[in-house]
Amino acid sequence: MLKRILLVLALLGLFPTAHAHAILVKAQPEKEAVLALPPAEVLLTFNDAVGEEFLALAVIDAAGKRVDKHDARLDFTDHSHLRASVEPLPPGQYVVRYRVLSADGHVVSGKYSFQIKTP
């Protein structure tokens, strides 16, 4: 009997569903990319909208210096897109670090690297 009630509630959309953590599904520049030209910004795309609380996106050079413009922001119309502008980047290795708040209330963080090759 309980299984039938739960099935009916699920079919009617009245049964609470669990939200999953936000997952990074696309990055520009891509993870481990080797670029001929430096990017003007870093754009991260998640599988779902993320919250503005705890929001962070930083680009760090090989010396540990932050090289983004401290302007991390979500797109106005699509909160699954997080972006930040970067200073003009010379050749070298860079690390992108991010932190977002998932719809389920959990903070998700990660990092990846990319490289700008010497011309």
Side-chain angles (χ1 to χ4, degrees):
M1 182 69 171
L2 179 59
K3 286 183 182 180
R4 286 184 184 170
I5 293 172
L6 292 175
L7 178 61
V8 170
L9 290 174
L11 291 174
L12 293 174
L14 300 175
F15 193 73
T17 58
H19 294 281
H21 296 337
I23 298 169
L24 181 65
V25 293
K26 186 175 180 184
Q28 296 172 342
E30 293 179 355
K31 179 181 177 183
E32 305 302 326
V34 178
L35 308 174
L37 298 172
E41 72 174 5
V42 170
L43 171 61
L44 304 180
T45 303
F46 296 90
N47 66 328
D48 200 1
V50 296
E52 293 186 15
E53 301 84 3
F54 310 110
L55 185 71
L57 174 57
V59 182
I60 301 160
D61 68 12
K65 179 184 173 202
R66 191 165 172 184
V67 295
D68 62 277
K69 294 184 179 178
H70 300 263
D71 64 350
R73 66 209 176 275
L74 294 173
D75 279 0
F76 182 71
T77 57
D78 187 347
H79 282 192
S80 68
H81 291 104
L82 172 61
R83 62 180 71 233
S85 306
V86 293
E87 302 292 341
L89 302 176
Q93 189 78 21
Y94 296 90
V95 174
V96 175
R97 294 182 178 267
Y98 62 89
R99 182 181 66 226
V100 296
L101 180 66
S102 294
D104 68 357
H106 288 93
V107 175
V108 174
S109 60
K111 66 179 180 176
Y112 73 92
S113 62
F114 69 91
Q115 179 183 354
I116 300 171
K117 67 181 181 179
T118 305

